[in-house]
Amino acid sequence: MSTLKAVRGTRDLLPPEVSVWQRIESTARAVFARYNFGEIRTPVFEDTALFSRSVGEETDIVSKEMYTWEDRARAQSEKSQSLTLRPENTAGVVRAYIEHKLGETGQLQKLYYIGPQFRRERPQKGRYRQFSQIGAEVIGPPSAGSESPLRDAEVLEMLATLLDELGITGWTLEINSVGSAADRARYNETLRTALVPLAPKMCVDCQRRAVTNPLRVLDCKVPEDQPIIDTLPKIVDSLDDASKAHFVAVTAALDAAGVPYKRNHRLVRGLDYYTRTTFEFTHGGLGAQNALLGGGRYDGLSEAIGGPKAPGIGFAIGEDRLVLTLQALNQETAPPRVDAYIAPLGESLNAPALALARELRRAGLSVELGDGSFRLKKSFDTADKTARRIVILGEDELQSGILTVKDFSSGIQTKVPRAELATHLGMPGE
Ligand code: AMP
């Protein structure tokens, strides 16, 4: 029989590597809490229409990357429906915002999520079919200040803080404004006209985009098309005064907070719902897939999926890429060792060893439990790979209540009364 393997583009994350993921997630949770964000958990699958209406029909995600299936009705009272594994989480968060009438609180909603997303992309390093995103959204009625450029700057400053606290040095923040829906429509027409004589010289995707959604041409990565794209009109020249002023206020706040950024006129991002501020943090250590995270403002998204006016701004960090960056920077931590390894000397000591392990674990220590069938040498070898200290539990130790403890970093062996054992094992190495 052929052996079954994880599906192409998906991966198992095993210890000890998974500890890097845990550290990233706990740092993210701690930073988000300092900025008063609460966690939201939305389902991993949604009605397909949610993504086609928000992300956009003409985007790569919706046109070719979604895992979509027809979910058959189980009963006469049910209808079959088209469902999709979420390719991103912003649409789900905004759907939940509308469904739970969070706008009626009159408050800004500051929500973060951590979880898997699914896209049928061509797998390569840094690009998977199941990947994890850490993201956050600030959304609310305009009266709660959701359109304020201060919100954009605060989100960007929070991201700079998070990357710094994770130990990711050398990131670049690229930022742009894609203007209001009207600005974008105007720019799309400007581009469409400019592309008429140029498109025939470009790749097939660009030839199609030049007609269906000219803005997408700016996302093209084909090297031969780049000099042509550089000659196209810039979106900044299509922005109205309000969008220009909004962008100036975002950058002024970033300057005041000392967050460095670069303006990238081509940054329009791959999703249709963005308005005004768009941004990406990139890192040189990632190679071709150099985007660590991306995001922007989506002032019309809620209305596009049938909700009230609810401007917002958010981002999604590629957690897989954070891990790759930390590995490239050698910031991974050594696999953690447990506080103690208990070695029962003989199978008759297995049960008392479990009782001792229970006592120590309840005192808050991390403990690995050996087996009395092991020779002492094997116990020492195993303990030296996994624990800071080994505790020998023989018949004498059990009777006397005095245990033999060896510290692996110093090589010192000591006798410790059972009542003092937890305190002794909790101390840093001698
Ligand atoms: P997007 O939702 O496309 O704006 O992506 C946001 C971030 O998610 C990107 O900057 C990447 O870091 C990450 N990302 C997107 N697609 C993938 C993928 N297929 N595999 C791994 N990470 C991804």
Side-chain angles (χ1 to χ4, degrees), residues 246-314:
H246 194 275
F247 190 72
V248 168
V250 174
T251 51
L254 289 176
D255 289 336
V259 176
Y261 58 86
K262 271 193 355 208
R263 176 124 196 204
N264 176 352
H265 290 284
R266 278 181 54 180
L267 190 71
V268 292
R269 314 250 323 120
L271 286 62
D272 269 3
Y273 52 59
Y274 287 112
T275 51
R276 295 194 167 168
T277 314
T278 53
F279 56 87
E280 251 173 37
F281 281 71
T282 57
H283 197 281
L286 281 168
Q289 301 299 319
N290 72 346
L292 265 180
L293 68 94
R297 184 165 268 291
Y298 44 82
D299 292 345
L301 176 55
S302 169
E303 289 148 294
I305 55 175
K309 190 167 168 57
I313 176 154

Side-chain angles (χ1 to χ4, degrees), residues 119 121 126-128 131 133 269 291-294 316-318 321:
R119 295 182 195 174
E121 298 201 76
R127 202 207 265 158
Y128 310 99
F131 57 99
Q133 286 186 335
R269 314 250 323 120
L292 265 180
L293 68 94
I317 311 173
R321 301 208 188 153

